[in-house]
Structure formats: C-alpha cells, structure tokens
Amino acid sequence: MRVIGIDAGSKEKLVRECGAEHFIDVTKHDDKSIVEEVMKAADGRGASAVIVCTASNKAYGQAVDMLRFGGTVVCVGIPEGTPEPIGTAFPAKLIFKSATIASVAVGTRRDAIEVMDFAARGEALLDIHTGE
C-alpha cells in the first residue's frame, strides 16, 4: 500500500514526514487532473481508501472518483459552510465501483484525556501547527 498526500505545496515536507510516499499539490490541479494524478500514483487503479481530513466540500466531491474498485471514502473532516451532498456520490458510480462511504468520529473527551496523559508521559512525538 502507498500513501498519497494531497495538500497545498507549503505542507509537502510535513506530509512526507508523516509517511506519504507521493505528494500532490492541490493548488496546481483542477478536479480532473488531481484524480488523474492519484490514479498514476496508485498504479492506474485508484486508491484503496481516500481519507478526507479537510473541511473542504470540494475534496469530498473528488474523493469518490479517486477510488479503485472496492475502495472506501472515509469522512473525517467536517465541511465548512452550508451542508452539501458529496457531489460525485451517484448511486450507479458507487455500485459499479463497489465503493463504501464511512465516517469516523474524531474522539470523545475521554479519548482526549488519554492522549494528553500519553503525551505528558513523553510517549508521544507531537508536531503542532496553528493557523493556515
């Protein structure tokens, strides 16, 4: 399995440090070309999973097209603004790709306390960034 990171070019170093083998600068692509880049990086078959961590409705709209047969879109980021449906999640496309859309709750208050305790014991390596 390969990790493909997609973000603004200014975040490439961080994305690669987090384990991405490939990096795609979202600011240099339109909807079609970004999907083509993912396909190339994923041996022409598409991604097994697309984990959408951003608050961008556009990213959710691109995610389904990036999947390979049997792939999964994992919804983590909560989109900003007015709620919108995932623009490319047409039933026929999902069926033909045998695709799944799943969601993940970021965590509970208890999870946050456990993570902070873990970090306080020095057992976590944290890289914290604020702002855009």
Side-chain angles (χ1 to χ4, degrees):
M1 183 178 306
R2 295 187 172 103
V3 176
I4 304 165
I6 302 172
D7 210 323
S10 62
K11 295 188 181 174
E12 181 174 3
K13 184 176 185 255
L14 174 64
V15 170
R16 288 193 182 274
E17 287 172 353
C18 290
E21 181 179 338
H22 299 281
F23 179 80
I24 300 169
D25 184 343
V26 70
T27 65
K28 295 182 178 178
H29 295 279
D30 60 21
D31 288 353
K32 183 178 178 187
S33 69
I34 200 164
V35 170
E36 290 169 352
E37 287 298 310
V38 169
M39 291 298 179
K40 277 193 247 177
D43 301 324
R45 297 174 56 207
S48 296
V50 177
I51 304 169
V52 183
C53 297
T54 184
S56 166
N57 280 306
K58 184 174 182 175
Y60 277 101
Q62 296 164 336
V64 175
D65 289 334
M66 295 175 181
L67 293 176
R68 69 177 53 202
F69 183 84
T72 302
V73 173
V74 182
C75 305
V76 178
I78 299 173
E80 302 170 314
T82 305
E84 295 179 28
I86 296 176
T88 58
F90 300 104
K93 185 182 289 187
L94 295 172
I95 292 165
F96 292 144
K97 284 190 170 205
S98 190
T100 302
I101 298 177
S103 63
V104 175
V106 176
T108 64
R109 184 176 187 284
R110 178 77 186 143
D111 293 334
I113 291 169
E114 289 175 4
V115 168
M116 295 303 285
D117 287 343
F118 188 71
R121 292 192 308 269
E123 298 179 31
L125 195 60
L126 304 176
D127 186 10
I128 301 172
H129 299 265
T130 60
E132 293 283 325

